[in-house]
Amino acid sequence: MDIPRIFTITESAHRIHNPFSPDKLATLGAALRLTPGASLLDLGSGSGEMLCTWARDHHITGTGVDMSQLFTEQAQHRAQELGVAHQVKFIHGDAAGYVSDQKVDVAACVGATWIAGGIAGTAALLAQSLSPGGIILIGEPFWRQLPPTEEVAQGCQAHAISDFYTLPALIAYWGHLGYDVVEMVLADQDSWDRYEAAKWLTMRRWLDANPGDDFAPEVRARLHSEPQRYATYTREYLGWGVFVLVPR
């Protein structure tokens, strides 16, 4: 069980596998007003930066689940590095359908709503692990501005314009699903740059170290195309944020 190899190459040096900077992640943690001992479930936990830094800064506990063996190992190492391994644990496994044995104060899926077929299914999945009065975190793209054509949407790596809402429409949709939006922290172009552009140096260094790898042509093709694609499409049209939801 693992994610496609291209992601474990391009994001191998990332601590945060979303267009969030460490400052944005810290802002989100502070915005939640976490109390010591609060519990968090993170589905699609990546390299564990959210859970580990919040355990350090807010003295919470939690569990992360992720399909990537590499990212799970990185998360476990990060927990040791920050001295919070006794507060958090990371499971290499499929987050799709995962429900915590014990109810949690915060249930999160930050950038992996595909695990339950989209945002509605992911919110419903997270709600199964949530304590009464708890909060849900969902990280999701939205259109900063509507693409003028389907070709532009595909340049943002969407299948179609209809894949994402605008920000006002997304907030309205949360209400339609029966949730109050009580906080949000949004990526900006700088945090997008740090997420996307950092991949390019990682790919180049990987190519230099692995010139004979069978996967090298795919990585080379991506390095050739990604800077132009990102600057032309994603940076201008696509937003991303973490939305804090409380069931009504």
Side-chain angles (χ1 to χ4, degrees):
M1 178 185 298
D2 214 329
I3 61 175
R5 189 183 181 195
I6 189 64
F7 297 111
T8 60
I9 292 173
T10 61
E11 299 191 26
S12 60
H14 283 52
R15 282 185 173 169
I16 302 171
H17 301 280
N18 293 300
F20 248 22
S21 64
D23 286 347
K24 294 277 188 184
L25 196 60
T27 295
L28 177 62
L32 298 180
R33 308 174 196 176
L34 297 165
T35 57
S39 56
L40 188 153
L41 173 67
D42 187 7
L43 299 185
S45 51
S47 296
E49 191 71 0
M50 183 172 77
L51 192 49
C52 289
T53 56
W54 290 2
R56 177 196 63 193
D57 297 341
H58 303 285
H59 309 290
I60 66 167
T61 64
T63 299
V65 183
D66 199 274
M67 284 184 67
S68 169
Q69 183 170 344
L70 172 63
F71 297 163
T72 302
E73 291 171 356
Q74 290 177 337
Q76 292 164 345
H77 177 76
R78 186 64 167 153
Q80 293 284 348
E81 182 180 52
L82 296 184
V84 297
H86 62 292
Q87 295 168 245
V88 300
K89 67 176 180 178
F90 293 97
I91 300 169
H92 174 225
D94 190 353
Y98 186 94
V99 177
S100 177
D101 292 338
Q102 297 183 333
K103 301 294 185 181
V104 298
D105 301 303
V106 182
C109 180
V110 178
T113 56
W114 50 266
I115 66 171
I119 55 179
T122 300
L125 173 62
L126 294 172
Q128 295 181 58
S129 297
L130 198 65
S131 295
I135 59 176
I136 288 173
L137 307 181
I138 292 185
E140 182 69 6
F142 58 86
W143 294 121
R144 294 180 63 238
Q145 52 180 320
L146 277 176
T149 66
E150 295 292 351
E151 181 182 6
V152 171
Q154 291 161 9
C156 297
Q157 298 184 322
H159 293 102
I161 295 173
S162 59
D163 279 6
F164 306 127
Y165 294 97
T166 63
L167 181 58
L170 179 56
I171 290 176
Y173 186 63
W174 295 129
H176 174 74
L177 292 178
Y179 295 93
D180 288 325
V181 179
V182 299
E183 257 290 5
M184 68 180 186
V185 178
L186 305 182
D188 55 25
Q189 287 182 312
D190 182 66
S191 55
W192 266 108
D193 291 347
R194 300 286 24 90
Y195 173 58
E196 292 288 349
K199 299 176 186 178
W200 310 337
L201 179 57
T202 300
M203 285 190 282
R204 178 53 196 259
R205 287 184 170 171
W206 185 91
L207 285 166
D208 290 345
N210 300 275
D213 194 289
D214 290 345
F215 205 61
E218 181 170 340
V219 177
R220 164 51 62 187
R222 186 165 294 224
L223 177 58
H224 178 75
S225 63
E226 276 299 285
Q228 186 69 40
R229 183 205 63 77
Y230 168 68
T232 303
Y233 299 112
T234 300
R235 195 174 195 273
E236 297 304 315
Y237 290 95
L238 197 61
W240 192 87
V242 179
F243 301 88
V244 184
L245 313 173
V246 174
R248 289 177 178 165

